[in-house]
Amino acid sequence: MKIRTKADYVKSLKDQEVVIYYKGELVEDRTTFPAFVPHINSAAKTYELALLPENEDLLTATSNVTGKKINRFTHIHQSVDDLIKKVQMLRLIAHETASCFQRCVGFDALNSLYMTTYEIDEKHKTKYFERFLEYLKKIQDENFMLVGGMTDPKGDRSKRPSQQADPDLFTRVVEKRKDGVVVRGAKAHQTGAVNSHEIMIMPTQAMGEGDEAYAIVAAIPLDAKGVTLIFGRQTNEERKFECGIDAGNCEFGMVGGEALVVFEDVFVPWERVFMCGEIDFTGMLVERFATLHRQNYGGCKGGVSDIVIGASALAAQYQGTLDASHIKDKLVEMLHLAETVYSGSVACSAMGSKTKSGAYYPDPLLANCTKHNITRFIYDISRLAHDIGGGIMATLPFDKDLRSPVVGKYVKKYMKGVEGVSTESRMKILRLLENMTGGTALVESMHGAGSPQSQRIMYQRLGKLGQKMKMAKKIAKIDE
Amino acid sequence: MALKYCGGCNPGFDRVAYVEKIKSAAGPNIEWVTFDEEGFDAVLLVTGCDTACPRRTIDFSEYKQTLLIRDDKASPEDLVKILLESEATNED
């Protein structure tokens, strides 16, 4: 079905029977399961906002393939303006969800594959780009949600894929048939997987000789035979089951609802295979996907930070500290950090360039710099939020205590802040801050789109250190 | 009159609420259409900040009149007066 509205989206998920395990048990209906509903609500915003006149400029685009109006999450960037609009769109949606809305990963998979399959064909005379265009037309037309599946479990990190004691620790082709390939392995912490329709598996790293079976790119429906999803446990996730104050942000998810996706001998027809054995292009694909994904973080995390800053200011206001100079200074610092990460995303987009395929690509050094700042600044913003909010954020009584006929009066009395603001409002804002600034939410800032070390490797590669040394010698008038 | 919004990445005011006030002040004197429709020669461009992103990609000079709204400081009644009276092009 073609998905336009939230109702279309939810129905399409219901129509697809996906094997998902939560806490050791099979989930019967993923669209009503309480742990998944907040993630569905978050992703649904990518559909809902596209229908609003006041947001469509960011949420929609014109397809370069069909000329039709499409959801931007299925678009191939055709200009620097498209790259900037992507970042603006992410900030906008984050304001609506205060959480990850998951769909950027598939978006980045589509863009990195568009430009890379074009270049694989140019060198190897293969037909991947043509195949990929057909797939792209389908996703643009149907507007379904795609998981970008890059990260393999990786086992012993000191060994290459083909050297692992268990060869399945990197996703691989175990059989090539006339009509397709059979895939075995897993993709770890897959954002949005439980509420998506398909997954695009891609190699997790540059592959060398002997690793050809691991150089596989394929689009796999999540209801394909042999696919099993195991949902990842998150901080305080079962508070969402209560639908009360304690969840902090009950309606939307915490990070992206990540899952382990297992492929137990899954058959994929050739028309859904976009790389198979071309190890010489695995490094390029990984780097492009990583750059496109790192580009995002100043947009979405900048937007999420806007909510944290607003909540911190409200927490201060509700306890009478908003006018204290040190609080104002901390809020200013938070604003500075949020706008700094956003600046990085805009900058790498503004410095983007055209690839051979015609698709536009952000500046990789600046995109890496953006994500590297996220691994620090979101922690700094969260630290300041904790500082402003106070210890009460960690020691508040339960929502049920507030509503208790016996102890409710004590909670109302002793948890109250300034006059004119209810204890309930104060508790709501403190719980929102707690939800957004701890546990899983922070770890996602560190490792989502690659751990800090992967960005530092890119600095070494792209930082032009030799050129900088030459410039220093010239200024110092050193000839040797 | 065609109504065109920017995408609203980080607006400084509630654009939709402000437009509702303008529409209410205009009453039946202005017929509103969307920017995707045809048959209009004036545009009310409502953006959330000074950047006014749609101007990066859309040439508004082809329309007889474009009124750009970048904040909610002006009174809706004054804006309606401008929309009804002005024949200036690309008034900011």
Side-chain angles (χ1 to χ4, degrees):
Chain A
M1 76 179 287
K2 290 179 184 175
I3 306 168
R4 289 185 74 249
T5 64
K6 180 180 179 180
D8 294 340
Y9 168 55
V10 173
K11 184 177 183 309
S12 68
L13 293 177
K14 201 182 267 288
D15 289 346
Q16 201 187 27
E17 281 189 33
V18 179
V19 177
I20 309 172
Y21 279 80
Y22 180 91
K23 215 172 162 184
E25 294 190 7
L26 183 66
V27 174
E28 286 196 7
D29 180 358
R30 60 175 169 162
T31 64
T32 55
F33 191 66
F36 302 164
V37 169
H39 300 292
I40 291 171
N41 290 340
S42 298
K45 283 286 174 193
T46 69
Y47 295 99
E48 293 176 290
L49 297 179
L51 301 174
L52 299 178
E54 63 269 29
N55 299 130
E56 67 172 356
D57 247 27
L58 296 180
L59 269 291
T60 63
T62 301
S63 168
N64 65 303
V65 185
T66 64
K68 291 181 183 167
K69 187 175 179 179
I70 54 170
N71 189 294
R72 185 171 295 279
F73 282 97
T74 67
H75 182 52
I76 302 300
H77 313 301
Q78 296 300 301
S79 62
V80 160
D81 192 60
D82 272 345
L83 291 172
I84 293 174
K85 277 185 172 157
K86 176 196 190 194
V87 173
Q88 292 177 302
M89 171 180 73
L90 300 178
R91 190 168 187 175
L92 157 68
I93 306 172
H95 289 166
E96 296 286 322
T97 62
S99 165
C100 174
F101 33 90
Q102 314 140 30
R103 220 172 149 195
C104 62
V105 205
F107 186 14
D108 298 329
L110 292 175
N111 275 273
S112 54
L113 283 168
Y114 185 93
M115 45 187 89
T116 306
T117 54
Y118 184 90
E119 290 179 44
I120 298 175
D121 287 1
E122 194 180 55
K123 181 177 175 187
H124 291 292
K125 311 298 174 206
T126 42
K127 298 278 184 193
Y128 293 126
F129 185 68
E130 205 175 292
R131 266 186 213 168
F132 181 75
L133 279 184
E134 289 308 308
Y135 183 77
L136 183 66
K137 280 183 206 164
K138 179 180 159 66
I139 198 168
Q140 289 185 342
D141 183 46
E142 295 181 17
N143 199 16
F144 58 80
M145 186 161 155
L146 179 71
V147 186
M150 181 157 278
T151 308
D152 287 324
K154 296 199 278 282
D156 181 345
R157 270 69 169 166
S158 70
K159 293 191 165 85
R160 300 200 59 78
S162 53
Q163 296 169 336
Q164 296 286 326
D166 180 344
D168 300 339
L169 291 174
F170 285 75
T171 306
R172 65 188 178 122
V173 174
V174 290
E175 187 186 349
K176 277 189 192 174
R177 295 183 192 165
K178 212 174 181 180
D179 52 350
V181 295
V182 177
V183 171
R184 189 187 302 159
K187 292 290 177 186
H189 32 80
Q190 293 301 294
T191 295
V194 297
N195 49 290
S196 290
H197 304 91
E198 300 207 357
I199 183 167
M200 182 71 77
I201 59 164
M202 298 172 280
T204 197
Q205 63 186 44
M207 301 291 171
E209 272 187 40
D211 296 333
E212 285 79 3
Y214 298 89
I216 176 71
V217 175
I220 302 173
L222 287 166
D223 60 350
K225 193 179 169 209
V227 178
T228 302
L229 279 63
I230 306 166
F231 194 70
R233 180 136 220 198
Q234 302 176 344
T235 310
N236 298 332
E237 80 280 70
E238 291 188 356
R239 289 189 191 183
K240 303 235 179 205
F241 290 27
E242 301 163 10
C243 298
I245 291 176
D246 292 350
N249 179 8
C250 190
E251 188 177 351
F252 299 105
M254 171 180 281
V255 297
E258 281 71 18
L260 177 68
V261 183
V262 179
F263 306 95
E264 189 65 44
D265 294 347
V266 177
F267 174 73
V268 190
W270 282 115
E271 62 264 27
R272 286 174 159 271
V273 175
F274 309 115
M275 175 192 282
C276 190
E278 290 80 7
I279 51 173
D280 48 338
F281 281 89
T282 49
M284 176 190 279
L285 177 63
V286 172
E287 185 175 320
R288 283 178 168 170
F289 174 78
T291 293
L292 283 156
H293 205 41
R294 289 168 193 170
Q295 172 204 10
N296 301 342
Y297 271 66
C300 62
K301 295 293 181 194
V304 165
S305 296
D306 290 332
I307 307 292
V308 172
I309 295 165
S312 300
L314 284 169
Q317 187 182 59
Y318 291 175
Q319 52 210 27
T321 57
L322 185 58
D323 292 330
S325 62
H326 72 101
I327 296 290
K328 284 183 187 166
D329 189 52
K330 282 162 190 161
L331 288 167
V332 165
E333 178 65 10
M334 293 166 87
L335 289 164
H336 163 71
L337 293 167
E339 297 303 337
T340 300
V341 295
Y342 185 63
S343 305
S345 285
V346 173
C348 70
S349 307
M351 296 298 286
S353 58
K354 194 174 184 177
T355 62
K356 284 183 179 177
S357 68
Y360 272 70
Y361 181 59
D363 180 281
L365 180 60
L366 297 182
N368 273 275
C369 180
T370 302
K371 173 64 212 338
H372 204 61
N373 278 339
I374 292 290
T375 69
R376 297 173 178 173
F377 293 177
I378 300 303
Y379 281 75
D380 289 348
I381 289 169
S382 299
R383 178 182 166 278
L384 289 163
H386 294 172
D387 187 349
I388 293 169
I392 192 66
M393 198 193 303
T395 62
L396 272 178
F398 284 70
D399 185 8
K400 279 191 175 172
D401 291 323
L402 177 70
R403 297 175 203 295
S404 160
V406 182
V407 297
K409 62 186 177 191
Y410 298 133
V411 177
K412 280 195 183 89
K413 178 181 170 72
Y414 292 110
M415 291 298 107
K416 182 145 176 69
V418 297
E419 279 304 308
V421 176
S422 68
T423 300
E424 182 171 340
S425 292
R426 186 175 179 226
M427 286 175 72
K428 278 182 178 172
I429 215 71
L430 290 167
R431 285 295 184 206
L432 175 61
L433 273 182
E434 182 198 25
N435 166 272
M436 295 182 71
T437 56
T440 313
L442 278 183
V443 178
E444 202 279 332
S445 298
M446 179 66 77
H447 295 288
S451 307
Q453 187 56 25
S454 60
Q455 290 120 43
R456 298 183 85 84
I457 289 168
M458 295 300 287
Y459 284 131
Q460 284 175 3
R461 278 194 44 215
L462 302 171
K464 300 179 189 145
L465 187 60
Q467 190 61 23
K468 289 173 171 54
M469 290 162 77
K470 274 187 197 165
M471 290 190 290
K473 278 171 98 175
K474 185 181 164 196
I475 296 291
K477 305 198 184 310
I478 297 170
D479 295 327
E480 55 182 359
Chain B
M1 171 79 54
L3 175 61
K4 173 72 184 165
Y5 288 101
C6 72
C9 65
N10 196 22
F13 65 105
D14 186 337
R15 295 167 304 147
V16 177
Y18 192 53
V19 165
E20 284 309 312
K21 285 180 189 167
I22 296 169
K23 280 184 173 177
S24 172
N29 298 314
I30 295 177
E31 185 188 344
W32 299 94
V33 295
T34 69
F35 196 70
D36 291 335
E37 291 175 74
E38 290 178 356
F40 60 87
D41 54 9
V43 182
L44 181 66
L45 173 59
V46 184
T47 69
C49 70
D50 289 345
T51 308
C53 288
R55 296 203 301 189
R56 293 203 307 247
T57 51
I58 298 171
D59 179 11
F60 288 96
S61 65
E62 65 181 88
Y63 305 106
K64 190 176 163 194
Q65 181 191 5
T66 299
L67 185 67
L68 172 60
I69 307 285
R70 293 186 277 201
D71 57 47
D72 59 356
K73 287 173 188 155
S75 87
E77 290 75 18
D78 288 346
L79 288 173
V80 169
K81 205 178 286 179
I82 293 169
L83 289 170
L84 292 173
E85 290 174 3
S86 173
E87 291 189 359
T89 54
N90 298 309
E91 186 166 344
D92 193 340

